[in-house]
Amino acid sequence: MATQRIYLAGPDVFLPNAAEIGLRKKMLCEEFGFVGLFPLDNDVSENSDGEKIDEKIFRANGALMHQAEAGIFNLTPFRGVNADPGTAFELGFFAALGKPVFAYSNHADDYFDRVAQTFGAHRTPDGDFCDADALMIENFGNADNLMLDAAVKLQGRKVVRPDASLVHPDDFSGFTACLRQARLHFGF
Amino acid sequence: MATQRIYLAGPDVFLPNAAEIGLRKKMLCEEFGFVGLFPLDNDVSENSDGEKIDEKIFRANGALMHQAEAGIFNLTPFRGVNADPGTAFELGFFAALGKPVFAYSNHADDYFDRVAQTFGAHRTPDGDFCDADALMIENFGNADNLMLDAAVKLQGRKVVRPDASLVHPDDFSGFTACLRQARLHFGF
């Protein structure tokens, strides 16, 4: 049986120890019988052929996403209350292709609670909840925007979250739980 | 020729006047010869059949995205420095399907500048830029995370941004500029 390749999406690439995290995640993939594809592995060198670096990175990541048989998505809030939008983009990319997706967050709280804490929450006359800017707050018990959580739930899983309210950004227990789900999914 | 359907993605659905914005956007689509598909149009009623509302909304939006020949994405920052992750998810969904995408932001500044203003920015020894939490900041002159901008740029367009530093959330000039691009793309 060919070894399944898993695309490793997340804001990990912006952490100071990104390379180390990528290496660790790839080693964990190997322990579980997978090959991890970490975006940083793309050898995107300086702009010799005139193509913009960001477009090069996009093409390289797109190629990895097409190669991968599945994706694991780190939805830990990044620079605010929400998941990194680059990771959200990639989760949508996988969902559209119908590939299996596994996701975790290193933050325990519901999206609703994080927003309420940062932006306030009050109930409107029609029963919805709004923040202090009168923006509606989704209240489905999800880890993030419903499109992200539901993409995972419709495949029969949930976004893995820790017990503690916030674990260290490079804690690997959520990631490892996703690898367990992936092994179950691929039946070995 | 069949009328092209355009999926209207954005955090507009969370604004207090979401229904009004949806109506206005659909009327503008019609003026340009398109049919606008606004997520709120989905008649997602209360939970009579036991399926969770969020999963129902996801399914309904997914069906609209598959129907649409193109998408217009409102990448205006939402609850922080980044675009709404639900919108980012949907942009990735369209990119994976190879459908034409058009995007605008009602904020004029680069992502880099928004992050620097909110989280600080300093240059690291290896020439990258980091915020006060030592998280790398992308510096490509983009409106948001490179995956979002590059998805648009690789189709030969850019994320439309206004001249003023921040226009009203329901200003329609960026949206209208996207409709012009769409008309050009579909050749009429």
Side-chain angles (χ1 to χ4, degrees), chain B residues 73-84:
Chain B
F73 301 84
N74 176 0
L75 299 181
T76 305
F78 183 71
R79 284 192 183 122
V81 293
N82 277 115
D84 164 50

Side-chain angles (χ1 to χ4, degrees), chain B residues 115-186:
Chain B
V115 173
Q117 202 176 348
T118 309
F119 298 96
H122 64 274
R123 199 182 268 273
T124 62
D126 56 1
D128 288 334
F129 283 93
C130 282
D131 67 16
D133 298 319
L135 299 170
M136 205 256 277
I137 316 175
E138 289 183 353
N139 188 19
F140 299 114
N142 285 331
D144 211 295
N145 180 290
L146 78 85
M147 296 302 288
L148 280 57
D149 282 70
V152 178
K153 292 203 274 190
L154 284 177
Q155 295 189 3
R157 289 175 291 273
K158 286 179 72 171
V159 176
V160 176
R161 286 191 263 170
D163 291 329
S165 84
L166 183 59
V167 297
H168 193 269
D170 52 10
D171 178 281
F172 293 98
S173 45
F175 180 73
T176 308
C178 287
L179 282 171
R180 261 184 242 111
Q181 291 179 342
R183 195 161 57 181
L184 203 65
H185 174 83
F186 287 109

Side-chain angles (χ1 to χ4, degrees), chain A residues 27-164:
Chain A
M27 284 171 61
L28 285 166
C29 284
E30 209 179 308
E31 282 177 31
F32 278 79
F34 295 108
V35 171
L37 304 177
F38 193 67
L40 272 194
D41 294 348
N42 290 317
D43 182 18
V44 178
S45 53
E46 284 301 320
N47 222 351
S48 54
D49 57 3
E51 195 186 12
K52 297 275 172 42
I53 295 177
D54 57 344
E55 295 176 35
K56 264 189 170 168
I57 296 174
F58 181 95
R59 276 190 208 275
N61 289 354
L64 286 184
M65 290 194 283
H66 278 293
Q67 283 163 31
E69 279 80 25
I72 296 181
F73 301 83
N74 176 359
L75 300 180
T76 306
F78 183 71
R79 286 193 182 122
V81 292
N82 277 116
D84 165 49
T87 308
F89 177 98
E90 295 176 343
L91 179 54
F93 199 98
F94 273 80
L97 299 178
K99 294 186 179 184
V101 293
F102 310 90
Y104 70 97
S105 169
N106 280 345
H107 202 304
D109 291 348
D110 284 357
Y111 177 62
F112 181 89
D113 295 326
R114 294 201 308 274
V115 173
Q117 200 174 349
T118 310
F119 298 97
H122 64 272
R123 201 182 266 272
T124 63
D126 57 1
D128 287 334
F129 283 93
C130 283
D131 66 18
D133 298 319
L135 301 170
M136 204 254 277
I137 317 176
E138 289 182 353
N139 188 19
F140 300 114
N142 285 331
D144 212 295
N145 180 290
L146 80 84
M147 296 301 289
L148 280 56
D149 281 72
V152 178
K153 290 203 276 190
L154 284 177
Q155 294 189 3
R157 289 175 292 273
K158 286 181 72 171
V159 176
V160 176
R161 286 191 262 169
D163 292 329

Side-chain angles (χ1 to χ4, degrees), chain A residues 37 130 168 173 181-182:
Chain A
L37 304 177
C130 283
H168 193 268
S173 45
Q181 291 180 341

